[in-house]
Amino acid sequence: MEWTALSVSLRLAGLSCLLLLPLGLWLGRTLALSRFRGKPLCEALVALPLVMPPTVLGFYLMQAFGVESPLGGLWQSLTGGGLNFTFTGILLASLLANLPFAVQPIQRAFESIPPNLREAAWCSGLSPGRTLLRIELPLVWPGLVSALALTFAHTLGEFGVILMVGGAIDGETRTLAIAIYDRVQAFDESGAAIMSAMLLLVSFLTIGVVYGLAGRRRWRRG
């Protein structure tokens, strides 16, 4: 096991979940409750990383993070450094690549709440904010947990986007998925097998959590 690569992966996954949860909660609820002309386009943009090849997404992000681009140039003028081949760069790339995993489960959870439940809460004197805290959030917590689990597991296994944006700098951008690739390239199949088994276990446990929560929701409705 390459513990440095594992540490980078866990830090990347943890920060991705921490930053995407409030964004996913706001965007998922907005898409679930709002009706506006551009909604299909917004939903398509959110889901785009699901169908775009990771290397293609990584290429465009690498170009966007370059010092000659407006975003990269602005970042360099503010911080004195670039985004490509840095942990900050792969964190931003991870946020974009994992956006649908954070938004869609939360959106579906909010869509499952009957509209008359919110109206009853408002008629009872609860403000929209208190309705969200006391009524909606307890009902959508399975969607929140699913979003966190999927985001965490997908970040641990992400390869193409991270490699394109961050390269493989040890202790900075070299994640566990990249370390597995390097071990295979070096014909170290035993080392690659150990790390692959750990990622397989994490993926299996994540899917178990998601399907378990979905099963509990169906059982309660039944």
Side-chain angles (χ1 to χ4, degrees):
M1 178 64 67
E2 296 198 19
W3 299 108
T4 302
L6 176 61
S7 175
V8 172
S9 293
L10 292 176
R11 185 157 57 106
L12 180 63
L15 287 174
S16 295
C17 290
L18 182 65
L19 295 175
L20 279 176
L21 181 60
L23 176 61
L25 182 61
W26 171 77
L27 188 54
R29 187 175 185 271
T30 300
L31 291 175
L33 304 183
S34 302
R35 298 292 182 269
F36 54 95
R37 182 173 298 179
K39 180 179 177 179
L41 178 60
C42 292
E43 291 179 323
L45 290 175
V46 170
L48 189 60
L50 291 175
V51 297
M52 181 180 292
T55 51
V56 175
L57 177 60
F59 171 77
Y60 284 119
L61 291 178
M62 181 180 65
Q63 296 296 315
F65 292 167
V67 293
E68 296 181 356
S69 70
L71 176 60
L74 176 62
W75 182 267
Q76 186 180 41
S77 65
L78 293 175
T79 65
L83 283 171
N84 285 325
F85 308 109
T86 64
F87 183 82
T88 303
I90 64 173
L91 177 59
L92 292 176
S94 176
L95 297 181
L96 292 173
N98 287 289
L99 188 62
F101 297 97
V103 172
Q104 291 185 347
I106 298 176
Q107 180 183 349
R108 301 296 175 258
F110 275 106
E111 289 174 345
S112 67
I113 300 177
N116 57 3
L117 193 61
R118 297 186 185 90
E119 296 171 0
W122 298 336
C123 292
S124 299
L126 291 180
S127 65
R130 290 178 66 85
T131 300
L132 173 63
L133 293 176
R134 298 183 61 179
I135 305 297
E136 296 181 28
L137 287 182
L139 293 175
V140 302
W141 74 266
L144 296 175
V145 175
S146 296
L148 287 175
L150 291 174
T151 299
F152 188 85
H154 186 261
T155 304
L156 283 183
E158 181 57 54
F159 176 78
V161 174
I162 303 302
L163 184 63
M164 293 291 289
V165 173
I169 301 175
D170 194 32
E172 182 74 14
T173 63
R174 188 169 181 264
T175 61
L176 197 61
I178 296 175
I180 293 172
Y181 176 79
D182 291 341
R183 289 295 183 93
V184 173
Q185 290 292 98
F187 301 102
D188 182 7
E189 296 185 0
S190 61
I194 293 173
M195 293 184 286
S196 297
M198 196 197 75
L199 288 182
L200 176 62
L201 178 61
V202 171
S203 300
F204 179 78
L205 292 177
T206 300
I207 296 299
V209 169
V210 172
Y211 277 93
L213 291 174
R216 288 187 62 183
R217 184 181 300 178
R218 288 193 297 267
W219 179 79
R220 287 181 178 179
R221 288 180 178 177

